[in-house]
Amino acid sequence: MSAQHQRPNILWITSEDNSPFLGCYGDAFATTPTLDKLASEGFRYTNAYANCPVCAPARNTIITGVYAASNGNEQMRSTYPKSKLVIPYSELLRKAGYYCTNNVKTDYNFAGDYKAMWDECSPTAHWKNSPEGKPFFAIFNLLTTHESQIFPYISDAELRHKPEDVVLPPYHPDTKEMRHDWAQYYDKIEDMDAQVGSLLKELEESGLAENTIVFYYADHGGVLARSKRYLFETGTWVPFIVRIPEQYKKYFPAEKPGDTVDRNVSFVDLAPTLLSLIGEEKPDYMQGNAFLGNAVEPEPRYVHLTRGRMDERIDMSRAVLDKKYRYIRNYMPFRIYMQHLAYLFNARSAQSWENYYQAGRCNELQSIAFQPKPVEELYDTENDPNELYNLADDPEYKDVLERMRKENIRWMKHIRDVALIPETEYAKRAGDGSMYDYMRSEACPFDDLLAAAELATEPGKGAIYDYIELLKNKDSAIRFWGVTGLLIHIDNAEQALPALKAAADEDATATAVLIGEALCRLGEKELAETIFLRILKDEHRTMMERTWVLNSVDAIDFRTLELEKWINDFYNGKKSELKGFDVYSNYDFSMCKTILEKWDVI
């Protein structure tokens, strides 16, 4: 048998939107016999993470081996170009002689022909279609546990997991809807487990199990509110199990099947690991570390996580974690954690939480979700697994805070973090090219951007006069960080009012919007309204530019007759055009709906 034929087949089974709610991870409420058995036959990873806590950017990282924040593909539901230098792993595997199938989800968050990346990409794609003698790589994406599966109501009587038996996390209020959705979700986990069982049985019956390495993992955490989309453990920690046949025991990551592996693993490591398993070299552009195969690399000390725009809600956070602490830096702390996101709030549990908070029925811990974020967060995840008690201001943890803060800056510089530039400027700067390439070009003032972002988000009273100077910079993104610093430190920013007024004719949308928001917070409401309406009424502005304005209008609850008229007219003009998922992917429409509902207009 040739060396090529000795290479393993590889089967990936992914589930959607679920944290490690499995019996093998110690969850007594879960009913997961298949995955528990798989863990006993394979290796269960205890420190595996999605680098982004939501589908598309998480999958962008997986398919490229490059952080979505480095690719310029971090913003949820976008199709910005991918660099031609960055090649999806499926194409590399095919070039190496593998038959590659995907059944069926793509969702890679960049522009391109996804199907062309695979030998077969369809609801019928299957390893059994592989030519005889050719090794296969096959993915099956199970949608059963997706967030949307808790939207349709299932009666309590039909639930197998009973709401009264749910052990609620302390950050969730004890509402009927919360208990119900948790129970319904555990039913979906059980259904997903059965689907995994069917696939593994089919593999066994095909006679290929002894030649096939099986991976099971979830595409990020989830799914009830404060998990998916958030950089906490609940949104990023994933179940991850690998079963390796005896003939490939040289690849065992621990002594024997059934053992756990505590190595730090994240999705950016998957593409390099695939190449290592099939004996191919990792391209220089890949940013992860192979953790299995012929070319295992050293374990990273840290895992890096990112959060950008989530559908219609604009935000930016970065996180660094080791095996004891999680550090989060919030670059837009003037936005609350639980912004009202249209898709998320289809869940009755999320609605009930918001209603409880507005009625004053949430306790202090449950109320945090609806309050502005601190600039920095630090959690001892060993002793505070729910990440409820922020240690960033505790002098006892000063050394840890500084260490993690420095690591975040080092990493952002290393990957050339695209989020230092507002999304509304991508096309202007990159043209038809990718932001990955732009950030590495001489045109990008990267070091100045990073310094401005760090200065803007420094804790304490801020550097107001430095922010005023940033507002005068020739680069609009650096001006963006100047006004961001003023907004974060708005209580000390009164002396910046003349500079903000002088900047009111700013043309770069994101910068102009935040100038308007800062002016409004400092009492200059008429000037703020002028800025917002100038952008909203400009027919040459994009959906994303309008969405930026509407995020600010909502955040400061800025209601004027003319703004309300524009929002109402826009909403009614689009309402009849949109159907199905279009309602959620037209972000300016979603924002108009949210604002009008809050104002009791609709």
Side-chain angles (χ1 to χ4, degrees):
M1 183 177 290
S2 71
Q4 176 170 309
H5 290 169
Q6 291 173 355
R7 291 185 295 179
N9 301 313
I10 300 172
L11 170 63
W12 272 11
I13 303 171
T14 68
S15 57
E16 299 251 336
D17 301 10
N18 61 279
S19 301
F21 300 124
L22 313 178
C24 59
Y25 278 88
D27 191 324
F29 196 48
T31 312
T32 52
T34 299
L35 290 168
D36 297 348
K37 182 173 184 289
L38 186 68
S40 71
E41 298 168 345
F43 301 91
R44 179 172 60 85
Y45 285 74
T46 56
N47 291 297
Y49 292 90
N51 301 107
C52 298
V54 73
C55 307
R59 290 169 183 270
N60 178 270
T61 300
I62 293 170
I63 197 71
T64 63
V66 176
Y67 293 98
S70 184
N71 276 325
N73 304 123
E74 178 192 15
Q75 311 299 350
M76 179 60 178
R77 292 279 174 270
S78 56
T79 54
Y80 300 110
K82 173 186 66 63
S83 173
K84 293 178 181 177
L85 299 175
V86 175
I87 303 170
Y89 72 71
S90 56
E91 295 182 15
L92 299 176
L93 265 62
R94 291 171 72 189
K95 186 177 179 180
Y98 271 72
Y99 181 77
C100 296
T101 69
N102 180 50
N103 187 330
V104 62
K105 188 168 182 176
T106 50
D107 205 19
Y108 302 134
N109 223 42
F110 58 73
D113 183 354
Y114 296 159
K115 290 191 175 183
M117 294 159 42
W118 301 91
D119 288 298
E120 186 178 1
C121 180
S122 74
T124 58
H126 203 288
W127 72 73
K128 64 187 177 185
N129 299 327
S130 175
E132 186 175 352
K134 194 169 189 177
F136 68 76
F137 173 85
I139 299 180
F140 288 84
N141 295 275
L142 307 180
L143 306 178
T144 308
T145 51
H146 187 267
E147 172 181 23
S148 58
Q149 299 303 302
I150 63 169
F151 297 166
Y153 182 78
I154 299 174
S155 71
D156 286 1
E158 296 174 275
L159 293 174
R160 301 185 296 276
H161 294 80
K162 297 306 177 185
E164 60 269 23
D165 295 331
V166 169
V167 178
L168 290 170
Y171 49 80
H172 277 168
D174 192 350
T175 70
K176 179 180 69 173
E177 295 85 357
M178 191 69 75
R179 286 187 169 276
H180 179 277
D181 280 3
W182 269 113
Q184 183 166 321
Y185 183 46
Y186 270 90
D187 278 6
K188 296 301 179 181
I189 294 284
E190 182 178 5
D191 293 342
M192 177 272 291
D193 183 82
Q195 287 181 293
V196 175
S198 296
L199 286 169
L200 294 178
K201 181 180 179 183
E202 189 174 3
L203 180 68
E204 194 72 37
E205 291 174 348
S206 73
L208 295 170
E210 293 308 311
N211 302 315
T212 304
I213 296 175
V214 176
F215 287 69
Y216 160 74
Y217 63 92
D219 67 344
H220 50 75
V223 68
L224 272 71
R226 195 197 178 267
S227 55
K228 177 179 179 179
R229 303 182 183 90
Y230 294 92
L231 293 182
F232 301 119
E233 193 87 342
T234 48
T236 58
W237 184 38
V238 295
F240 198 97
I241 301 168
V242 183
R243 187 178 74 184
I244 303 174
E246 181 68 21
Q247 68 167 303
Y248 304 111
K249 72 178 298 181
K250 67 178 181 178
Y251 298 148
F252 283 5
E255 183 178 349
K256 64 185 185 304
D259 286 350
T260 58
V261 181
D262 72 350
R263 175 182 171 124
N264 281 331
V265 168
S266 65
F267 286 173
V268 75
D269 302 324
L270 290 180
T273 298
L274 285 176
L275 296 173
S276 176
L277 283 169
I278 69 170
E280 297 290 322
E281 289 189 14
K282 179 179 83 171
D284 290 341
Y285 64 80
M286 285 191 177
Q287 296 169 343
N289 298 301
F291 55 87
L292 292 171
N294 298 296
V296 172
E297 297 175 89
E299 176 186 6
R301 180 179 183 183
Y302 300 104
V303 172
H304 295 271
L305 314 171
T306 72
R307 167 183 161 89
R309 175 176 55 76
M310 296 293 169
D311 296 347
E312 74 269 23
R313 288 300 189 170
I314 297 156
D315 205 351
M316 178 190 170
S317 298
R318 297 292 179 260
V320 180
L321 60 145
D322 58 20
K323 291 177 181 175
K324 182 170 173 60
Y325 297 103
R326 179 179 308 243
Y327 169 80
I328 300 174
R329 192 174 187 97
N330 295 305
Y331 290 84
M332 298 183 74
F334 40 81
R335 297 291 178 258
I336 67 171
Y337 291 99
M338 281 278 288
Q339 297 182 79
H340 189 107
L341 191 146
Y343 196 74
L344 165 64
F345 275 82
N346 278 303
R348 295 169 184 81
S349 48
Q351 296 168 22
S352 73
W353 190 359
E354 186 177 53
N355 292 338
Y356 252 52
Y357 174 75
Q358 292 173 348
R361 301 180 67 181
C362 287
N363 63 30
E364 184 178 352
L365 294 178
Q366 294 158 2
S367 297
I368 291 172
F370 296 95
Q371 297 168 355
K373 304 182 288 288
V375 169
E376 291 184 305
E377 300 173 68
L378 180 68
Y379 300 102
D380 179 344
T381 53
E382 274 187 2
N383 297 306
D384 178 21
N386 287 300
E387 296 164 315
L388 298 171
Y389 303 101
N390 183 9
L391 305 172
D393 293 330
D394 189 331
E396 186 177 337
Y397 295 89
K398 180 182 177 182
D399 290 346
V400 177
L401 182 73
E402 290 183 354
R403 170 171 64 86
M404 304 290 258
R405 181 191 292 155
K406 287 178 181 177
E407 172 58 20
N408 182 58
I409 296 170
R410 181 206 66 80
W411 175 83
M412 290 178 73
K413 185 171 184 177
H414 173 68
I415 69 147
R416 313 294 282 190
D417 196 326
V418 174
L420 293 173
I421 294 175
E423 185 181 3
T424 51
E425 297 194 25
Y426 287 5
K428 174 184 174 183
R429 297 192 182 230
D432 295 332
S434 73
M435 286 298 291
Y436 176 95
D437 294 323
Y438 170 78
M439 299 301 285
R440 288 158 179 77
S441 72
E442 291 184 1
C444 177
F446 184 86
D447 290 343
D448 291 340
L449 285 166
L450 182 57
E454 291 304 310
L455 180 66
T457 56
E458 68 176 21
K461 295 184 178 180
I464 303 301
Y465 291 106
D466 290 333
Y467 304 150
I468 292 171
E469 286 304 306
L470 291 179
L471 273 180
K472 303 172 186 176
N473 195 280
K474 64 181 181 180
D475 189 284
S476 58
I478 292 176
R479 298 197 296 274
F480 171 85
W481 288 112
V483 68
T484 295
L486 293 174
L487 264 177
I488 291 172
H489 305 94
I490 198 70
D491 291 343
N492 302 312
E494 187 72 33
Q495 63 265 45
L497 195 53
L500 286 166
K501 287 182 178 180
D505 61 350
E506 169 71 55
D507 187 60
T509 299
T511 308
V513 168
L514 294 195
I515 288 170
E517 183 171 335
L519 284 166
C520 187
R521 289 178 184 267
L522 291 171
E524 294 291 334
K525 296 188 177 183
E526 288 186 12
L527 187 51
E529 181 186 32
T530 299
I531 294 171
F532 292 158
L533 287 170
R534 168 167 58 86
I535 297 169
L536 291 174
K537 291 180 176 181
D538 185 346
E539 295 181 357
H540 299 290
R541 304 278 180 167
T542 64
M543 173 183 73
M544 192 51 58
E545 291 177 292
R546 290 189 293 272
T547 300
W548 269 80
V549 175
L550 295 166
N551 266 256
S552 278
V553 169
D554 181 59
I556 56 180
D557 200 18
F558 187 35
R559 185 176 186 177
T560 70
L561 288 175
E562 197 166 353
L563 275 172
E564 182 178 328
K565 182 180 185 308
W566 187 94
I567 293 169
N568 199 26
D569 288 348
F570 185 86
Y571 170 78
N572 287 313
K574 272 213 167 187
K575 185 168 59 173
S576 60
E577 300 174 18
L578 303 178
K579 296 179 181 178
F581 201 76
D582 285 348
V583 170
Y584 302 109
S585 58
N586 280 263
Y587 303 134
D588 46 7
F589 175 82
S590 290
M591 282 305 310
C592 286
K593 183 173 185 291
T594 294
I595 292 168
L596 293 172
E597 286 175 342
K598 183 164 78 171
W599 290 347
D600 290 326
V601 175
I602 59 172

PDB file of all heavy atoms in Angstrom, residues 485-506:
ATOM      1  N   GLY A 485     -12.176  57.624  22.770  1.00  0.00           N
ATOM      2  CA  GLY A 485     -11.632  57.954  24.090  1.00  0.00           C
ATOM      3  C   GLY A 485     -12.490  58.971  24.825  1.00  0.00           C
ATOM      4  O   GLY A 485     -12.720  58.859  26.032  1.00  0.00           O
ATOM      5  N   LEU A 486     -12.989  59.961  24.096  1.00  0.00           N
ATOM      6  CA  LEU A 486     -13.852  60.963  24.724  1.00  0.00           C
ATOM      7  C   LEU A 486     -15.167  60.354  25.195  1.00  0.00           C
ATOM      8  O   LEU A 486     -15.666  60.702  26.275  1.00  0.00           O
ATOM      9  CB  LEU A 486     -14.108  62.109  23.748  1.00  0.00           C
ATOM     10  CG  LEU A 486     -12.885  62.961  23.389  1.00  0.00           C
ATOM     11  CD1 LEU A 486     -13.225  63.967  22.299  1.00  0.00           C
ATOM     12  CD2 LEU A 486     -12.331  63.680  24.627  1.00  0.00           C
ATOM     13  N   LEU A 487     -15.725  59.453  24.405  1.00  0.00           N
ATOM     14  CA  LEU A 487     -16.983  58.815  24.807  1.00  0.00           C
ATOM     15  C   LEU A 487     -16.796  57.927  26.034  1.00  0.00           C
ATOM     16  O   LEU A 487     -17.637  57.898  26.935  1.00  0.00           O
ATOM     17  CB  LEU A 487     -17.534  57.980  23.646  1.00  0.00           C
ATOM     18  CG  LEU A 487     -18.586  58.633  22.763  1.00  0.00           C
ATOM     19  CD1 LEU A 487     -18.968  57.705  21.623  1.00  0.00           C
ATOM     20  CD2 LEU A 487     -19.823  59.019  23.563  1.00  0.00           C
ATOM     21  N   ILE A 488     -15.688  57.188  26.051  1.00  0.00           N
ATOM     22  CA  ILE A 488     -15.439  56.314  27.203  1.00  0.00           C
ATOM     23  C   ILE A 488     -15.274  57.143  28.472  1.00  0.00           C
ATOM     24  O   ILE A 488     -15.737  56.746  29.553  1.00  0.00           O
ATOM     25  CB  ILE A 488     -14.182  55.444  26.949  1.00  0.00           C
ATOM     26  CG1 ILE A 488     -14.469  54.423  25.836  1.00  0.00           C
ATOM     27  CG2 ILE A 488     -13.745  54.728  28.228  1.00  0.00           C
ATOM     28  CD1 ILE A 488     -13.241  53.654  25.382  1.00  0.00           C
ATOM     29  N   HIS A 489     -14.646  58.295  28.334  1.00  0.00           N
ATOM     30  CA  HIS A 489     -14.359  59.146  29.495  1.00  0.00           C
ATOM     31  C   HIS A 489     -15.216  60.409  29.449  1.00  0.00           C
ATOM     32  O   HIS A 489     -14.764  61.505  29.800  1.00  0.00           O
ATOM     33  CB  HIS A 489     -12.870  59.487  29.520  1.00  0.00           C
ATOM     34  CG  HIS A 489     -11.979  58.289  29.506  1.00  0.00           C
ATOM     35  ND1 HIS A 489     -11.461  57.764  28.336  1.00  0.00           N
ATOM     36  CD2 HIS A 489     -11.536  57.477  30.510  1.00  0.00           C
ATOM     37  CE1 HIS A 489     -10.724  56.708  28.625  1.00  0.00           C
ATOM     38  NE2 HIS A 489     -10.753  56.501  29.931  1.00  0.00           N
ATOM     39  N   ILE A 490     -16.462  60.253  29.032  1.00  0.00           N
ATOM     40  CA  ILE A 490     -17.340  61.396  28.769  1.00  0.00           C
ATOM     41  C   ILE A 490     -17.551  62.265  30.014  1.00  0.00           C
ATOM     42  O   ILE A 490     -17.751  63.481  29.900  1.00  0.00           O
ATOM     43  CB  ILE A 490     -18.694  60.926  28.190  1.00  0.00           C
ATOM     44  CG1 ILE A 490     -19.444  62.082  27.513  1.00  0.00           C
ATOM     45  CG2 ILE A 490     -19.540  60.234  29.243  1.00  0.00           C
ATOM     46  CD1 ILE A 490     -18.831  62.551  26.241  1.00  0.00           C
ATOM     47  N   ASP A 491     -17.477  61.663  31.190  1.00  0.00           N
ATOM     48  CA  ASP A 491     -17.688  62.442  32.417  1.00  0.00           C
ATOM     49  C   ASP A 491     -16.590  63.474  32.635  1.00  0.00           C
ATOM     50  O   ASP A 491     -16.781  64.430  33.408  1.00  0.00           O
ATOM     51  CB  ASP A 491     -17.771  61.506  33.628  1.00  0.00           C
ATOM     52  CG  ASP A 491     -19.029  60.658  33.615  1.00  0.00           C
ATOM     53  OD1 ASP A 491     -19.970  61.004  32.869  1.00  0.00           O
ATOM     54  OD2 ASP A 491     -19.064  59.625  34.317  1.00  0.00           O
ATOM     55  N   ASN A 492     -15.443  63.280  31.975  1.00  0.00           N
ATOM     56  CA  ASN A 492     -14.321  64.216  32.128  1.00  0.00           C
ATOM     57  C   ASN A 492     -14.055  64.995  30.836  1.00  0.00           C
ATOM     58  O   ASN A 492     -13.010  65.642  30.717  1.00  0.00           O
ATOM     59  CB  ASN A 492     -13.041  63.454  32.506  1.00  0.00           C
ATOM     60  CG  ASN A 492     -13.209  62.653  33.771  1.00  0.00           C
ATOM     61  OD1 ASN A 492     -13.711  63.162  34.758  1.00  0.00           O
ATOM     62  ND2 ASN A 492     -12.795  61.394  33.739  1.00  0.00           N
ATOM     63  N   ALA A 493     -14.983  64.930  29.870  1.00  0.00           N
ATOM     64  CA  ALA A 493     -14.689  65.415  28.525  1.00  0.00           C
ATOM     65  C   ALA A 493     -15.279  66.781  28.206  1.00  0.00           C
ATOM     66  O   ALA A 493     -15.301  67.178  27.034  1.00  0.00           O
ATOM     67  CB  ALA A 493     -15.175  64.382  27.508  1.00  0.00           C
ATOM     68  N   GLU A 494     -15.736  67.521  29.195  1.00  0.00           N
ATOM     69  CA  GLU A 494     -16.386  68.809  28.929  1.00  0.00           C
ATOM     70  C   GLU A 494     -15.454  69.744  28.157  1.00  0.00           C
ATOM     71  O   GLU A 494     -15.889  70.479  27.261  1.00  0.00           O
ATOM     72  CB  GLU A 494     -16.802  69.455  30.249  1.00  0.00           C
ATOM     73  CG  GLU A 494     -17.643  70.718  30.094  1.00  0.00           C
ATOM     74  CD  GLU A 494     -19.065  70.429  29.606  1.00  0.00           C
ATOM     75  OE1 GLU A 494     -19.596  69.355  29.969  1.00  0.00           O
ATOM     76  OE2 GLU A 494     -19.611  71.264  28.870  1.00  0.00           O
ATOM     77  N   GLN A 495     -14.163  69.697  28.486  1.00  0.00           N
ATOM     78  CA  GLN A 495     -13.221  70.606  27.829  1.00  0.00           C
ATOM     79  C   GLN A 495     -12.986  70.267  26.360  1.00  0.00           C
ATOM     80  O   GLN A 495     -12.393  71.054  25.625  1.00  0.00           O
ATOM     81  CB  GLN A 495     -11.873  70.640  28.576  1.00  0.00           C
ATOM     82  CG  GLN A 495     -11.122  69.319  28.599  1.00  0.00           C
ATOM     83  CD  GLN A 495     -11.399  68.529  29.865  1.00  0.00           C
ATOM     84  OE1 GLN A 495     -12.538  68.414  30.287  1.00  0.00           O
ATOM     85  NE2 GLN A 495     -10.339  68.003  30.465  1.00  0.00           N
ATOM     86  N   ALA A 496     -13.485  69.103  25.919  1.00  0.00           N
ATOM     87  CA  ALA A 496     -13.331  68.707  24.522  1.00  0.00           C
ATOM     88  C   ALA A 496     -14.464  69.229  23.646  1.00  0.00           C
ATOM     89  O   ALA A 496     -14.446  69.024  22.431  1.00  0.00           O
ATOM     90  CB  ALA A 496     -13.267  67.185  24.408  1.00  0.00           C
ATOM     91  N   LEU A 497     -15.439  69.890  24.237  1.00  0.00           N
ATOM     92  CA  LEU A 497     -16.615  70.324  23.476  1.00  0.00           C
ATOM     93  C   LEU A 497     -16.265  71.211  22.280  1.00  0.00           C
ATOM     94  O   LEU A 497     -16.777  70.989  21.176  1.00  0.00           O
ATOM     95  CB  LEU A 497     -17.613  71.018  24.411  1.00  0.00           C
ATOM     96  CG  LEU A 497     -19.033  71.212  23.879  1.00  0.00           C
ATOM     97  CD1 LEU A 497     -19.635  69.910  23.374  1.00  0.00           C
ATOM     98  CD2 LEU A 497     -19.924  71.794  24.989  1.00  0.00           C
ATOM     99  N   PRO A 498     -15.382  72.209  22.409  1.00  0.00           N
ATOM    100  CA  PRO A 498     -15.033  73.014  21.229  1.00  0.00           C
ATOM    101  C   PRO A 498     -14.430  72.175  20.101  1.00  0.00           C
ATOM    102  O   PRO A 498     -14.744  72.395  18.925  1.00  0.00           O
ATOM    103  CB  PRO A 498     -14.024  74.028  21.780  1.00  0.00           C
ATOM    104  CG  PRO A 498     -14.357  74.141  23.235  1.00  0.00           C
ATOM    105  CD  PRO A 498     -14.772  72.764  23.650  1.00  0.00           C
ATOM    106  N   ALA A 499     -13.592  71.223  20.454  1.00  0.00           N
ATOM    107  CA  ALA A 499     -12.972  70.376  19.430  1.00  0.00           C
ATOM    108  C   ALA A 499     -14.016  69.488  18.756  1.00  0.00           C
ATOM    109  O   ALA A 499     -13.963  69.259  17.541  1.00  0.00           O
ATOM    110  CB  ALA A 499     -11.876  69.513  20.060  1.00  0.00           C
ATOM    111  N   LEU A 500     -14.966  68.989  19.518  1.00  0.00           N
ATOM    112  CA  LEU A 500     -16.033  68.162  18.944  1.00  0.00           C
ATOM    113  C   LEU A 500     -16.911  68.984  18.007  1.00  0.00           C
ATOM    114  O   LEU A 500     -17.304  68.519  16.931  1.00  0.00           O
ATOM    115  CB  LEU A 500     -16.871  67.545  20.063  1.00  0.00           C
ATOM    116  CG  LEU A 500     -16.210  66.398  20.841  1.00  0.00           C
ATOM    117  CD1 LEU A 500     -16.985  66.108  22.123  1.00  0.00           C
ATOM    118  CD2 LEU A 500     -16.127  65.135  19.982  1.00  0.00           C
ATOM    119  N   LYS A 501     -17.222  70.210  18.399  1.00  0.00           N
ATOM    120  CA  LYS A 501     -18.023  71.079  17.528  1.00  0.00           C
ATOM    121  C   LYS A 501     -17.272  71.366  16.231  1.00  0.00           C
ATOM    122  O   LYS A 501     -17.859  71.362  15.143  1.00  0.00           O
ATOM    123  CB  LYS A 501     -18.338  72.395  18.243  1.00  0.00           C
ATOM    124  CG  LYS A 501     -19.376  72.289  19.346  1.00  0.00           C
ATOM    125  CD  LYS A 501     -19.619  73.669  19.941  1.00  0.00           C
ATOM    126  CE  LYS A 501     -20.677  73.656  21.028  1.00  0.00           C
ATOM    127  NZ  LYS A 501     -20.906  75.021  21.590  1.00  0.00           N
ATOM    128  N   ALA A 502     -15.976  71.585  16.358  1.00  0.00           N
ATOM    129  CA  ALA A 502     -15.173  71.873  15.169  1.00  0.00           C
ATOM    130  C   ALA A 502     -15.095  70.671  14.236  1.00  0.00           C
ATOM    131  O   ALA A 502     -14.875  70.821  13.029  1.00  0.00           O
ATOM    132  CB  ALA A 502     -13.769  72.295  15.591  1.00  0.00           C
ATOM    133  N   ALA A 503     -15.308  69.473  14.786  1.00  0.00           N
ATOM    134  CA  ALA A 503     -15.221  68.239  13.998  1.00  0.00           C
ATOM    135  C   ALA A 503     -16.585  67.770  13.492  1.00  0.00           C
ATOM    136  O   ALA A 503     -16.703  66.670  12.957  1.00  0.00           O
ATOM    137  CB  ALA A 503     -14.572  67.140  14.838  1.00  0.00           C
ATOM    138  N   ALA A 504     -17.610  68.600  13.652  1.00  0.00           N
ATOM    139  CA  ALA A 504     -18.978  68.159  13.340  1.00  0.00           C
ATOM    140  C   ALA A 504     -19.205  67.874  11.862  1.00  0.00           C
ATOM    141  O   ALA A 504     -20.175  67.202  11.499  1.00  0.00           O
ATOM    142  CB  ALA A 504     -19.982  69.200  13.823  1.00  0.00           C
ATOM    143  N   ASP A 505     -18.329  68.369  10.991  1.00  0.00           N
ATOM    144  CA  ASP A 505     -18.499  68.103   9.564  1.00  0.00           C
ATOM    145  C   ASP A 505     -17.703  66.890   9.105  1.00  0.00           C
ATOM    146  O   ASP A 505     -17.525  66.665   7.905  1.00  0.00           O
ATOM    147  CB  ASP A 505     -18.090  69.325   8.744  1.00  0.00           C
ATOM    148  CG  ASP A 505     -16.624  69.706   8.953  1.00  0.00           C
ATOM    149  OD1 ASP A 505     -15.989  69.145   9.874  1.00  0.00           O
ATOM    150  OD2 ASP A 505     -16.123  70.568   8.185  1.00  0.00           O
ATOM    151  N   GLU A 506     -17.215  66.085  10.040  1.00  0.00           N
ATOM    152  CA  GLU A 506     -16.489  64.850   9.724  1.00  0.00           C
ATOM    153  C   GLU A 506     -17.266  64.021   8.711  1.00  0.00           C
ATOM    154  O   GLU A 506     -18.472  63.804   8.862  1.00  0.00           O
ATOM    155  CB  GLU A 506     -16.275  64.039  11.010  1.00  0.00           C
ATOM    156  CG  GLU A 506     -15.764  62.633  10.818  1.00  0.00           C
ATOM    157  CD  GLU A 506     -14.323  62.573  10.366  1.00  0.00           C
ATOM    158  OE1 GLU A 506     -13.451  63.158  11.054  1.00  0.00           O
ATOM    159  OE2 GLU A 506     -14.069  61.952   9.319  1.00  0.00           O
TER     160      GLU A 506
END
